[in-house]
Amino acid sequence: MMLAALQAVAQTSGGAYGWLNVPSSVLEYALGGVNISNISDDVNDAERNPGLLGAEVENQLGVNYMRWIGESNFAGVKYGHSAGEKGAWMASVEYFGYGTIKGADINGVLTGDISPKDMKFGVTYAHDINDRWRGGARLDFLYSSYDRYSAMALAATLGVNYFNPESDFSLSAVVTNLGGQVKKFYDRSDRLPVDVRLGVSKRFGSSIIGSITAWNLTKWHLPYYDAGDGTQQTESEVKDSFGSNLFRHLVFGLQFVPSERFYAALGYNYKTRTDMSTYKRSFLSGFSIGAGLNTRAFAFGVALAQPHSGAMTVMLNISTKLYEF
């Protein structure tokens, strides 16, 4: 199951650094796994787009946890604070652990347990350009350790958001993971999953927010193999049509917000569904759901999704405003 966990992380795109595309926000995970435009005042949600970070996260502490596949556990801590009247900053630490496997040398002699892991240490700053535009940047230090191999890298993410409160319309653009390795695993360099993303969100009526996010915009062709229903002994068919490529770039989300205290969210990610295009794919593949509850001092969130045929995953977020104590 540890191998399945690593494969599931890798299929999010990015090879050795595919884990950088695993979200830490319940809201983002519930809205299909990629969302950069839905507005939130929870510090756990700020990492998806530096341009969404603002003074509303004043003295706020957030904790995120995800039970991934097999023995894999992902967790993180974020702290946000205002910086003057128009700025804000956030510090974050994320840990990605994939469980343990038994190590062996080339002769099959056991050498002890191996516990692969990745870590990310980030600092984010955002600033209000005017009353509708906000921009931000995040710098991440990345560390990976797989048995006796380790690597380090630096990555920068830039984001901007436009929000019109009169029409409840939000527009965002993000460029992720600009940078490279400063220490390689071995002789070969691994590239970071640089990506360009665009997202829009719009409130309809008093309580429904719809969103569409376009990602993987650095390349058009995203072919996949369709194995059919698994009942015939035929070779997998390559799918690379215009429609297939278009929808593999898009993530759809709906958020139900009846009050400031509660929300429910539903997402659909066609790329996730087609990445799992085997007879083992379930009806839920590509779909995600989540909900959040706000109290005076705490905010709680939970999201469920199935990014791999091996298991269902669950993510939890908790945040608190320290000035309430």
Side-chain angles (χ1 to χ4, degrees):
M1 288 301 292
M2 194 208 76
L3 179 59
L6 291 172
Q7 290 173 335
V9 168
Q11 80 179 16
T12 60
S13 79
Y17 287 93
W19 55 275
L20 290 175
N21 289 323
V22 177
S24 61
S25 159
V26 158
L27 179 61
E28 182 175 19
Y29 202 47
L31 291 172
V34 186
N35 183 281
I36 61 172
S37 56
N38 276 46
I39 303 299
S40 168
D41 60 359
D42 192 321
V43 70
N44 282 308
D45 298 329
E47 190 171 70
R48 57 203 168 103
N49 177 2
L52 295 177
L53 180 68
E56 57 271 12
V57 302
E58 169 74 19
N59 203 20
Q60 195 175 136
L61 178 69
V63 178
N64 60 274
Y65 170 78
M66 177 188 282
R67 179 65 176 182
W68 193 249
I69 298 166
E71 299 179 3
S72 300
N73 293 277
F74 305 161
V77 178
K78 302 179 181 69
Y79 176 76
H81 204 284
S82 61
E85 295 182 357
K86 295 185 177 182
W89 62 269
M90 180 180 74
S92 60
V93 179
E94 299 287 335
Y95 172 83
F96 301 79
Y98 307 103
T100 60
I101 60 174
K102 294 189 179 298
D105 61 20
I106 58 175
N107 299 312
V109 178
L110 295 178
T111 58
D113 290 341
I114 300 172
S115 298
K117 60 180 175 292
D118 297 301
M119 298 189 71
K120 178 170 66 173
F121 306 87
V123 177
T124 304
Y125 178 77
H127 192 84
D128 291 346
I129 302 170
N130 55 39
D131 59 349
R132 294 191 177 183
W133 285 93
R134 178 182 292 173
R138 185 177 73 250
L139 180 64
D140 293 317
F141 171 76
L142 314 175
Y143 174 76
S144 299
S145 176
Y146 303 155
D147 193 17
R148 64 180 183 275
Y149 302 101
S150 63
M152 292 180 286
L154 291 174
T157 294
L158 309 176
V160 64
N161 173 257
Y162 167 85
F163 179 64
N164 185 337
E166 298 174 359
S167 60
D168 273 323
F169 175 79
S170 174
L171 171 67
S172 290
V174 173
V175 181
T176 69
N177 305 317
L178 297 167
Q181 287 183 303
V182 295
K183 180 181 183 298
K184 307 174 186 177
F185 280 110
Y186 357 87
D187 295 334
R188 187 191 70 185
S189 296
D190 290 294
R191 300 178 65 181
L192 300 183
V194 176
D195 192 17
V196 176
R197 301 174 180 178
L198 299 174
V200 294
S201 296
K202 177 71 172 69
R203 183 182 290 267
F204 300 94
S206 61
S207 58
I208 300 296
I209 301 174
S211 64
I212 301 177
T213 307
W215 68 314
N216 281 314
L217 296 182
T218 57
K219 54 185 176 182
W220 168 250
H221 289 280
L222 297 174
Y224 71 96
Y225 291 91
D226 188 352
D229 60 5
T231 60
Q232 298 179 351
Q233 298 299 319
T234 57
E235 294 185 0
S236 298
E237 179 183 358
V238 178
K239 299 289 187 178
D240 195 22
S241 66
F242 175 86
S244 171
N245 283 304
L246 175 62
F247 280 96
R248 278 171 64 79
H249 283 284
L250 300 178
V251 179
F252 303 90
L254 279 177
Q255 190 178 1
F256 175 59
V257 191
S259 73
E260 296 181 355
R261 297 291 185 180
F262 174 79
Y263 77 82
L266 172 68
Y268 179 68
N269 188 321
Y270 183 72
K271 184 177 185 300
T272 297
R273 183 170 181 82
T274 49
D275 281 345
M276 294 170 57
S277 186
T278 70
Y279 69 94
K280 294 182 180 180
R281 182 177 65 187
S282 73
F283 172 78
L284 296 176
S285 301
F287 288 95
S288 54
I289 59 173
L293 177 66
N294 296 321
T295 67
R296 183 183 66 83
F298 291 93
F300 306 89
V302 59
L304 300 172
Q306 190 181 29
H308 189 274
S309 59
M312 184 72 72
T313 60
V314 59
M315 178 186 288
L316 302 173
N317 279 177
I318 300 175
S319 63
T320 184
K321 302 169 184 176
L322 298 180
Y323 58 78
E324 294 284 359
F325 295 92

